[in-house]
Amino acid sequence: TVPTAFNRTKVDLGTQLVGKIDALRNQVTRAYPGVQIGAAGGMAVSVVEHDALVHGMVLSSLITALLVGLVLILHLRSGRLLVMVSGTLVVGTIASFGMAAITVGHLNAATAFLGAIIAGNGVNYGIIIVARYQEERQTHEPREALAIALATTLKPTLVASLAASIAYGSLAGTSFRGFADFALIGGFGMIICWGFSFVLLPALMVRFGQRARVYRGDPFLGGLLVKLFFLL
């Protein structure tokens, strides 16, 4: 048994310790072939769980980004608008985790996947704004269309954001700390993403989106979904 002067949540120190133990094990196995040595205990388990958690976070984030991007490009049919919506979402998600670093301090197994959850829900506000903008662009100039889009989507999306924030916040009433952290990060994350959708996204659209391609008629993805649900 090797006692440690730090607790198992210090994964960086635990990784260094496990690495040194592995080096010693390799020396022993080279000197005495056939000997099998393994590491067990809380610290070794924490390191393995942390590595698996990081791998899962990266994988889930990549899958979320790929699928959300695919749906957006099919719906918006404009690479320029896709970049602006995605950029706003990335900034909002990073700001949410910045808030988490100040308040919660760290993530655990229950809150590590909040990046994909916040991104999956936070992107809705940008989609609604841009979709409304594209509708108005068919009859108005870019700036006027954007002003109408923001005015008509401000209150509905704010109500939706507050509803989602309250839904996440309800988890704060549980005694499990992981859920309480989830409530704090997720609840504020929805408000933060909504705020950036109405502050950063319009600025990007004014600066870079006025030449974005606008298609006439119904969106391809929307029309496809209507036909699909009509058949069902």
Side-chain angles (χ1 to χ4, degrees):
T1 302
V2 180
T4 60
F6 51 88
N7 58 45
R8 58 184 298 180
T9 59
K10 303 292 185 180
V11 181
D12 52 345
L13 297 177
T15 301
Q16 297 177 22
L17 176 61
V18 172
K20 292 180 180 180
I21 293 176
D22 288 340
L24 292 174
R25 181 187 60 186
N26 294 334
Q27 294 178 12
V28 173
T29 53
R30 283 195 299 268
Y32 302 95
V35 175
Q36 295 183 355
I37 303 176
M43 186 53 64
V45 172
S46 295
V47 172
V48 173
E49 290 178 346
H50 177 268
D51 293 341
L53 190 61
V54 170
H55 179 268
M57 289 174 56
V58 173
L59 181 61
S60 66
S61 299
L62 290 176
I63 293 175
T64 300
L66 178 63
L67 294 180
V68 170
L70 178 62
V71 171
L72 286 178
I73 197 65
L74 289 175
H75 177 67
L76 302 178
R77 292 181 292 180
S78 171
R80 188 185 295 266
L81 292 176
L82 173 62
V83 170
M84 288 185 288
V85 172
S86 301
T88 303
L89 178 62
V90 169
V91 173
T93 304
I94 292 175
S96 299
F97 278 105
M99 182 275 303
I102 297 174
T103 56
V104 176
H106 62 276
L107 299 179
N108 53 39
T111 57
F113 293 92
L114 272 173
I117 295 175
I118 291 175
N121 289 306
V123 72
N124 295 334
Y125 315 122
I127 294 175
I128 294 173
I129 293 172
V130 172
R132 191 74 179 87
Y133 168 77
Q134 287 187 312
E135 291 178 356
E136 295 299 329
R137 277 286 286 114
Q138 298 184 22
T139 55
H140 297 86
E141 293 299 318
R143 291 180 179 270
E144 185 179 359
L146 180 59
I148 296 174
L150 294 176
T152 54
T153 59
L154 179 65
K155 291 182 179 179
T157 54
L158 176 59
V159 172
S161 175
L162 291 175
S165 181
I166 292 172
Y168 285 124
S170 64
L171 294 173
T174 64
S175 58
F176 180 47
R177 183 175 178 181
F179 285 165
D181 294 346
F182 189 106
L184 182 63
I185 302 172
F188 279 105
M190 291 299 95
I191 302 298
I192 291 173
C193 287
W194 177 86
F196 276 104
S197 297
F198 278 87
V199 175
L200 178 59
L201 181 58
L204 293 175
M205 293 176 67
V206 170
R207 179 63 180 84
F208 303 105
Q210 298 192 39
R211 292 185 296 175
R213 184 180 302 177
V214 177
Y215 289 88
R216 305 292 178 180
D218 297 330
F220 169 76
L221 183 59
L224 183 63
L225 291 176
V226 169
K227 293 179 181 179
L228 177 62
F229 286 112
F230 179 77
L231 293 176
L232 295 178

